Amino acid sequence: MRIRHWARAVRWYLRELTGEAEYDRHCERHRRHHPLAPVPSRREYQVLRTRHQEARTHSRCC
C-alpha cells in the first residue's frame, strides 16, 4: 500500500510540475461553464495561455 501511495504522490507532483494538471483543470472548468462548446485541444490551450501571458506583461517579473 505504501508503494501505491508513494507512486500517486510522485505522479501528482510530476503532473503539477509539467503543467499537465493545469490543462485538466481548465477542461473541467470549461465543461462546467460552457457545456455545449467544444473543449480546446491541448495545443489550442497552450496557444491561448501563451497569448494571455504575453498580453499581461505586468504580471511577470522579467
Side-chain angles (χ1 to χ4, degrees), residues 6-49:
W6 182 82
R8 269 190 250 136
V10 169
R11 182 177 184 268
W12 173 86
Y13 178 76
L14 290 174
R15 285 176 49 78
E16 291 294 330
L17 187 66
T18 61
E20 185 83 16
E22 186 177 334
Y23 174 70
D24 292 340
R25 284 190 293 268
H26 172 75
C27 288
E28 289 174 21
R29 208 170 32 248
H30 185 81
R31 285 185 188 109
R32 205 173 357 180
H33 294 289
H34 310 286
L36 300 177
V39 176
S41 69
R42 184 174 309 280
R43 184 171 176 85
E44 292 169 338
Y45 169 73
Q46 289 298 332
V47 169
L48 292 171
R49 183 172 173 247

